Amino acid sequence: YAKHQGICWLDDPSNDSDAYRRNRLRHHLIPRIESEYGPGFSANLASLATEAAGYAAMLDRESEDGFNDGTLEIAGQNLRADCSRLEKLPAVVRRHLLRRAVERISDGKLLLSGRQLASVDRLAVEGASGQCLDLSAGLAAWREFEMLRIGAPVKQGTLQEDVCIELGESPGKTRVKYG
């Protein structure tokens, strides 16, 4: 293509080496698949990738409301999500929203895998208060009543003082030792 268009190009010698997975795919696996299952595999794969990118863009638009309507709140590297609102979303939108939120709070360091994402989703929809998941990149997900929280794990006994909690409309205050 470049030659036909009169465009100069550079050959990267690393593209010839099977030391890299991308080259093993190009040089061995894809030709083998095309010889066994027929030509067109690469074209079909490229077409599926284009379609998947379109779906991802649509999910980005659909899930953006979750960042604006109170379903999710991000403060720094902490996420708070209303589980009852999450539960009402279609599963594919909910999972996409959770994936994007974790990507945001981790500055792109944590991309939830399928298994991790399914576990976080299950915690949000079916989990009980107190359940916790360890994620990578120094993050954890835990359930606090109707809230899903994701952030740095809270360590037991980290507060030095009692925490003052007001219980509804009742007079007075109750002091609770945390940890």
Side-chain angles (χ1 to χ4, degrees), residues 80-87 122-132 142-149 165 167 178:
R80 189 178 93 125
D82 182 327
C83 294
S84 61
R85 286 185 178 195
L86 283 174
E87 190 174 2
R122 203 169 28 259
L123 180 62
V125 175
E126 301 169 9
S129 188
Q131 288 182 311
C132 183
W142 65 96
R143 187 72 189 256
E144 284 182 1
F145 303 101
E146 286 304 309
M147 290 294 168
L148 172 70
R149 295 191 180 268
I165 301 174
L167 299 173
Y178 182 83

Side-chain angles (χ1 to χ4, degrees), residues 28-105:
H28 305 289
L29 185 60
I30 291 174
R32 182 172 166 208
I33 290 171
E34 288 193 340
S35 71
E36 287 189 32
Y37 299 101
F41 173 77
S42 296
N44 287 340
L45 194 58
S47 177
L48 285 172
T50 300
E51 193 170 331
Y55 287 131
M58 180 187 70
L59 284 170
D60 282 345
R61 289 188 303 274
E62 288 291 317
S63 63
E64 193 59 35
D65 286 344
F67 289 105
N68 301 320
D69 68 4
T71 300
L72 293 179
E73 294 174 16
I74 294 177
Q77 294 189 311
N78 293 293
L79 165 72
R80 189 178 93 125
D82 182 327
C83 294
S84 61
R85 286 185 178 195
L86 283 174
E87 190 174 2
K88 292 176 185 171
L89 295 172
V92 67
V93 173
R94 181 178 61 243
R95 287 177 178 214
H96 191 76
L97 181 61
L98 289 168
R99 179 184 290 126
R100 288 184 62 217
V102 168
E103 187 177 348
R104 285 184 187 184
I105 66 169

Side-chain angles (χ1 to χ4, degrees), residues 160-173:
Q160 300 301 315
E161 306 176 10
D162 290 348
V163 177
C164 185
I165 301 174
E166 292 187 38
L167 299 173
E169 301 281 326
S170 63
K173 297 185 181 191

